Amino acid sequence: MSAKYFHLTVKEIIDETPDTKTFSFWHPIHQAISYKAGQFLTLIPEIEGKKVRRSYSMSSSPNKDASLAVTIKRVPGGLVSNYLCDNLKVGDAIETMEPMGHFVIEPNPTKERVIVLFGGGSGITPLMSIAKSVLPVETKTKVYLVYGSRNEENIIFKKQLDELEAQYSNRFKVLHVLSQPSYTWIGYKTRINQASAVTFLKQDFAIDIAKAEYYLCGPEGMMQHVEAAIKIFGVTDNQIHKEHFFSAHDEKAMEDEDEAGSLKEQTITIQYEGNDYTVVVKPHETILDAALRDDIDLPYSCQAGMCTACMGKCIAGKVSMDEEDGLTDNEIKQGYILTCVAHPTSSGVVIEID
Ligand SMILES: Cc1cc2nc3c(=O)[nH]c(=O)nc-3n(C[C@H](O)[C@H](O)[C@H](O)COP(=O)(O)OP(=O)(O)OC[C@H]3O[C@@H](n4cnc5c(N)ncnc54)[C@H](O)[C@@H]3O)c2cc1C
Ligand code: FES
């Protein structure tokens, strides 16, 4: 099934921090876009004559906010985050794909639960949507947020979180954790790691760790530490939801320049829309990166192995994936791959894309 595309007009732009802006959009005329708290939009700006795609989680709540909003933090040297923060103006229209993603919550008024949100930096965006959506609907549910930022001025949504905490004072608690605060900061000065995560849950929130539901979104290291900490207390995989903003490939490549050492340049064939394309995939590239470099207009969205928009089938040769969570075991057995996280590991690879 092919994805739907929309053109959204910018309604308002809010400066959240010195490097982060919220862009809210009007719904298209005659057609409200429906989405779930925690999902993302894929924005498709045209930069220097080329369309590029990046995913941004919605910071708005589907059941509370009249318009859709995304919140974008500049990545130093990053193409799209800086382009949008510098150029997108109120009244401009931008192409987007329909909302996608499985990092979602569906508020249910009959539920009474404990939900713990762990966020770092721009990872607050889907968590903000989740908190704003759950609190008014699930009137017996308690929500706890641990939010890691560098310093006071980098805390995204500080005022909105304070207001939400005041409004739901007996059911919503926020703990700001700063890694490099000013000397006047009286809260925690630490990173979110395995040991500090346990302290927050046991001492600050005093919750039964084993029984809560967890939503994690932030740097990979932070999410790994929190997951390891809560699993010691018996939390199971189905209680843990994670959103990755960057693919494992990006993060590995950022950390370890030798990561591509075991991969070799391979020439592959991509069968798409009745054409056979020959593409050279370099060791640092994914199959999708290589195809886009050659201007082959393959389908994609999140570029992080989660949305399945880039799914193809490997019908010859061998392919490895940095991240397999987006596919079922059965799909993997049948040879399906996600081109945004896939690398050819043998000669003669042929990928078929519907
Ligand atoms: C599902 C999903 C939801 C997302 N939601 C949001 C959101 O709500 N808000 C938001 O701001 N971003 C979000 N992102 C990230 C966003 O899609 C882009 O990846 C980000 O804006 C960087 O794009 P860019 O074009 O500016 O940088 P690029 O030009 O793509 O990257 C430039 C360089 O920076 C590296 N890089 C990318 N990100 C980082 C980083 N964080 N730290 C260090 N180096 C980095 C890249 O590997 C590359 O080497 C989300 C991503 C996904 C997959
Ligand atoms: S583009 Fe989303 S899984 Fe590949």
Side-chain angles (χ1 to χ4, degrees):
M1 208 177 56
S2 55
K4 285 199 202 102
Y5 292 78
F6 302 96
H7 280 88
L8 298 181
T9 304
V10 180
K11 181 180 172 189
E12 194 183 7
I13 301 175
I14 298 168
D15 286 310
E16 302 287 356
T17 70
D19 65 358
T20 306
K21 294 185 182 196
T22 292
F23 299 86
S24 68
F25 302 101
W26 299 100
H27 283 272
I29 303 169
H30 307 307
Q31 188 183 21
I33 296 180
S34 70
Y35 63 100
K36 292 179 183 156
Q39 283 195 307
F40 59 86
L41 274 182
T42 300
L43 303 187
I44 317 179
E46 191 170 317
I47 305 179
E48 292 177 5
K50 204 165 172 177
K51 283 187 178 185
V52 280
R53 299 176 188 209
R54 295 290 185 277
S55 304
Y56 293 99
S57 301
M58 275 166 285
S59 47
S60 52
S61 157
N63 50 316
K64 193 167 170 286
D65 296 316
S67 42
L68 306 154
V70 296
T71 300
I72 303 181
K73 182 176 164 78
R74 291 174 188 268
V75 166
L79 178 67
V80 175
S81 56
N82 291 297
Y83 176 86
L84 294 172
C85 287
D86 289 336
N87 295 286
L88 204 56
K89 297 186 299 299
V90 171
D92 285 352
I94 186 162
E95 191 177 2
T96 74
M97 290 174 82
E98 63 188 323
M100 292 182 185
H102 306 291
F103 184 72
V104 294
I105 194 158
E106 296 196 52
N108 177 342
T110 64
K111 283 201 171 168
E112 176 177 355
R113 47 185 166 169
V114 172
I115 297 171
V116 182
L117 315 171
F118 273 94
S122 58
I124 188 67
T125 50
L127 305 180
M128 188 69 193
S129 176
I130 288 172
K132 280 195 288 183
S133 303
V134 169
L135 287 163
V137 177
E138 296 190 12
T139 53
K140 291 182 179 150
T141 288
K142 293 194 166 148
V143 181
Y144 298 90
L145 166 67
V146 182
Y147 180 27
S149 305
R150 182 177 305 136
N151 54 35
E152 290 91 327
E153 73 165 9
N154 285 124
I155 302 176
I156 304 170
F157 304 135
K158 174 77 172 69
K159 190 163 166 275
Q160 294 94 312
L161 288 168
D162 286 350
E163 285 167 2
L164 214 54
E165 214 180 0
Q167 188 180 355
Y168 298 100
S169 56
N170 55 344
R171 297 196 292 114
F172 184 44
K173 191 161 182 190
V174 181
L175 193 63
H176 290 288
V177 178
L178 302 184
S179 57
Q180 295 166 32
S182 71
Y183 69 94
T184 57
W185 176 249
I186 49 166
Y188 277 109
K189 179 188 174 189
T190 181
R191 288 183 188 280
I192 301 173
N193 56 35
Q194 201 165 331
S196 66
V198 175
T199 306
F200 306 146
L201 297 173
K202 279 182 98 73
Q203 287 182 19
D204 294 276
F205 297 157
I207 61 159
D208 183 347
I209 297 177
K211 293 207 177 123
E213 288 175 36
Y214 295 85
Y215 286 79
L216 321 179
C217 185
E220 190 62 33
M222 179 207 94
M223 295 202 285
Q224 281 171 2
H225 276 280
V226 173
E227 194 173 353
I230 57 181
K231 281 190 165 169
I232 293 171
F233 291 84
V235 174
T236 57
D237 284 336
N238 57 14
Q239 290 166 264
I240 306 173
H241 310 264
K242 290 180 286 178
E243 184 75 307
H244 301 267
F245 278 5
F246 309 104
S247 71
H249 172 71
D250 268 350
E251 298 218 357
K252 264 194 246 160
M254 280 187 258
E255 284 163 14
D256 179 6
E257 284 299 313
D258 294 333
E259 179 251 358
S262 57
L263 296 168
K264 292 197 186 102
E265 181 171 294
Q266 301 284 359
T267 301
I268 67 165
T269 303
I270 298 179
Q271 299 179 341
Y272 180 53
E273 294 188 326
N275 297 313
D276 276 13
Y277 298 97
T278 302
V279 176
V280 175
V281 185
K282 300 194 174 121
H284 266 299
E285 287 180 318
T286 64
I287 291 175
L288 179 67
D289 288 337
L292 295 178
R293 177 175 40 75
D294 284 1
D295 287 329
I296 305 166
D297 197 15
L298 295 188
Y300 71 98
S301 170
C302 73
Q303 292 171 271
M306 288 180 309
C307 72
T308 72
C310 66
M311 190 150 92
K313 193 170 185 181
C314 178
I315 56 172
K318 286 194 181 142
V319 159
S320 72
M321 285 197 284
D322 298 313
E323 173 68 62
E324 294 191 338
D325 286 358
L327 294 176
T328 62
D329 290 348
N330 201 20
E331 285 168 336
I332 292 169
K333 253 188 234 150
Q334 290 177 52
Y336 286 102
I337 61 151
L338 299 172
T339 61
C340 71
V341 287
H343 310 270
T345 53
S346 74
S347 58
V349 166
V350 180
I351 308 292
E352 186 185 70
I353 294 176
D354 275 345

